[in-house]
Amino acid sequence: MALDTEKIIADLKEASILELNDLVKAIEEEFGVSAAAPVAGAAGADGAAEKDSFDVELTDAGSAKVKVIKAVKDITGLGLKDAKGLVDGAPSVIKEGVAKDEAEELKAKLEEVGAKVTLK
C-alpha cells in the first residue's frame, strides 16, 4: 500500500489543533517516540546565550477557568471549543516562538485571570 502524501497533507491542513495534538500523542504511543524538540547542548562562547523566542505554556487554569478560556481564545484566535480544549488539556502550549516582550505580556494577561503560566 502506497502512502498518498498529498492527501495526508490536505487532511492535516483541515484538522483542528486538538485533533493534531491527539494525532501526535497517538504516534508517540504507537512508535515509542517523542515529538519534543531536542534541547541544544552547546551554549555560546560566554556560556550563556540569550534566548530570543519563547513558548507560552499554560500549566494550570486555576479556579477562574471560564476567564482563562476567554483569554486563551483572545490570545490565540481559536474558537471557543478549541480554546477550552487547550485549557482543559493543561499543561499545553498556548503560543510558540514569540519574542520575550510578547511572551511576558501574554503571561501577564493569563496570570491576571488566575492561570499559572510558564515561559519556555
Side-chain angles (χ1 to χ4, degrees):
M1 179 176 142
L3 289 176
D4 186 352
T5 307
E6 290 177 12
K7 181 179 179 339
I8 293 171
I9 291 172
D11 288 344
L12 290 175
K13 285 181 178 179
E14 294 176 14
S16 71
I17 291 176
L18 292 176
E19 291 170 327
L20 294 173
N21 187 38
D22 291 343
L23 174 64
V24 169
K25 287 179 183 177
I27 290 171
E28 287 175 338
E29 289 175 12
E30 179 69 27
F31 298 105
V33 296
S34 174
V39 177
D46 62 355
E50 175 127 2
K51 200 171 176 183
D52 61 350
S53 69
F54 294 84
D55 294 344
V56 180
E57 181 182 63
L58 175 70
T59 54
D60 184 25
S63 60
K65 195 175 190 181
V66 173
K67 290 181 182 179
V68 175
I69 292 170
K70 287 180 182 179
V72 168
K73 182 180 175 290
D74 291 341
I75 289 169
T76 61
L78 293 173
L80 189 59
K81 182 179 178 182
D82 289 337
K84 182 182 183 301
L86 282 176
V87 173
D88 288 343
S92 54
V93 176
I94 303 301
K95 222 160 187 194
E96 295 179 326
V98 296
K100 184 177 182 177
D101 292 342
E102 183 182 357
E104 288 175 354
E105 180 182 323
L106 296 176
K107 180 180 179 183
K109 283 182 183 179
L110 289 166
E111 288 178 341
E112 185 178 308
V113 293
K116 291 183 183 167
V117 179
T118 305
L119 300 181
K120 293 187 172 189

